[in-house]
Amino acid sequence: MKKITAIIVDDEKNSRIVLNNLLTNFCPTVEIVGEAASPDEAYSVITALNPDLVFLDIQMPTGTGFSLLQKFPQVPFEVVFITSYDEYAINAIKFNALDYLLKPVVIAELQDAVRKAEERLKDKSLKGAAMQNLIHNLDKDILDQRISFHKNDQVRYIAIRNISHVRSDGNYSIVITDQNETFSSSKTLKEYDDYLSAFPGFIRVHRNSLINVRELKSYSKGEPCIITMENGDTIEVSRRKKQEVLEALREVAPKV
């Protein structure tokens, strides 16, 4: 059986040793062919060895794992990110359907990440788009960053600023754009809330809905408070969220 070749990129020597030992002992399909302690060193090692898979630390003193990826016009390898807890980075990785492991690495999670990397290496249709979108987002103003959706055999990329609101649909979510397009997503509303809370103007207004206040057209002053979005949709604001919504409006949408 042909092994998948891999390198480990981490500025901490002990972390590289631990991960190398875990892979050697518990992931027999992986062959570690090199290591690097910085993004610049990693670029040289990757160029020389052309690995199938890179285990990539996100935060390093001389640059981030993301800055390494930006050196490649097309990322020619699979990536499993390794990180201490970093909420924004983790949410960005999750929303692009990429894999990450938290330090200290758990064996079962490492094995699962390797299995999924092997699947992506076998199926070329699974490779590339998610990583390219993540790299795209690194270069963009925060509201010009994009989320990908699958619709009718296509992958569509929607800029964060063009999301009007998101509503819960059981264990799924429905994302509505400013052009009134709708996209079904397998992510829960809580996952969208966790991710979009890092972007100015997004706020959870009800247990079933979150909105982009820049797309709010009007609101009623009575109870219940009903807001109308620019695309015509109406959404009820929970009583305990009303003041928070009004404060957010004053901050980012003074026209309302």
Side-chain angles (χ1 to χ4, degrees):
M1 178 177 61
K2 184 180 182 296
K3 291 190 175 186
I4 60 175
T5 57
I7 73 166
I8 299 170
V9 182
D10 195 315
D11 64 289
E12 298 177 356
K13 183 177 181 179
N14 285 342
S15 293
R16 297 198 303 274
I17 291 171
V18 168
L19 184 56
N20 196 327
N21 289 338
L22 289 175
L23 288 164
T24 299
N25 292 322
F26 298 102
C27 300
T29 60
V30 177
E31 178 185 3
I32 303 300
V33 295
E35 296 183 0
S38 70
D40 287 343
E41 183 183 359
Y43 183 78
S44 297
V45 173
I46 290 169
T47 302
L49 299 178
N50 192 29
D52 300 312
L53 175 61
V54 175
F55 293 91
L56 181 58
D57 190 20
I58 294 177
Q59 298 295 342
M60 291 175 275
T62 59
T64 69
F66 298 142
S67 67
L68 168 65
L69 298 176
Q70 288 176 297
K71 293 177 180 288
F72 296 91
Q74 294 287 329
V75 177
F77 46 83
E78 290 298 328
V79 177
V80 174
F81 294 98
I82 311 288
T83 182
S84 300
Y85 191 74
D86 180 332
E87 185 175 10
Y88 178 75
I90 289 171
N91 281 332
I93 292 165
K94 285 167 60 179
F95 257 76
N96 285 282
L98 300 167
D99 281 325
Y100 71 94
L101 297 169
L102 283 175
K103 296 179 181 179
V105 174
V106 176
I107 293 170
E109 293 176 355
L110 175 62
Q111 291 173 320
D112 188 51
V114 168
R115 177 187 58 79
K116 288 189 283 188
E118 289 173 325
E119 290 175 357
R120 293 193 299 271
L121 285 166
K122 291 176 184 176
D123 187 347
K124 300 302 183 184
S125 68
L126 298 176
K127 190 175 182 179
M131 183 63 68
Q132 290 308 120
N133 190 55
L134 177 65
I135 294 170
H136 165 93
N137 286 347
L138 298 175
D139 287 331
K140 298 298 180 182
D141 290 339
I142 190 163
L143 290 173
D144 287 323
Q145 295 182 21
R146 307 180 305 189
I147 295 178
S148 63
F149 298 96
H150 292 267
K151 191 168 187 176
N152 300 330
D153 298 327
Q154 288 186 325
V155 177
R156 294 280 306 280
Y157 293 98
I158 304 299
I160 298 295
R161 68 169 65 253
N162 296 133
I163 294 174
S164 170
H165 55 289
V166 185
R167 65 173 186 264
S168 176
D169 185 23
N171 291 326
Y172 293 80
S173 297
I174 304 296
V175 178
I176 301 93
T177 73
D178 55 356
Q179 298 298 310
N180 228 12
E181 287 188 284
T182 61
F183 297 90
S184 179
S185 170
S186 60
K187 295 180 175 63
T188 65
L189 187 63
K190 182 182 184 306
E191 289 178 288
Y192 275 98
D193 191 18
D194 290 343
Y195 182 56
L196 292 175
S197 63
F199 297 84
F202 284 88
I203 186 170
R204 183 83 167 260
V205 297
H206 192 277
R207 68 178 182 275
N208 294 326
S209 303
L210 67 86
I211 69 166
N212 176 359
V213 296
R214 288 177 173 79
E215 291 297 316
L216 194 155
K217 182 177 182 180
S218 63
Y219 65 92
S220 64
K221 294 184 177 180
E223 296 291 348
C225 177
I226 303 296
I227 58 179
T228 301
M229 307 303 291
E230 289 284 359
N231 67 1
D233 286 353
T234 57
I235 302 167
E236 181 177 344
V237 179
S238 68
R239 182 174 297 178
R240 67 185 182 86
K241 284 285 189 178
K242 182 177 179 179
Q243 189 58 39
E244 186 178 350
V245 172
L246 295 180
E247 289 174 0
L249 280 172
R250 283 193 285 270
E251 288 179 11
V252 302
K255 66 175 183 175
V256 178

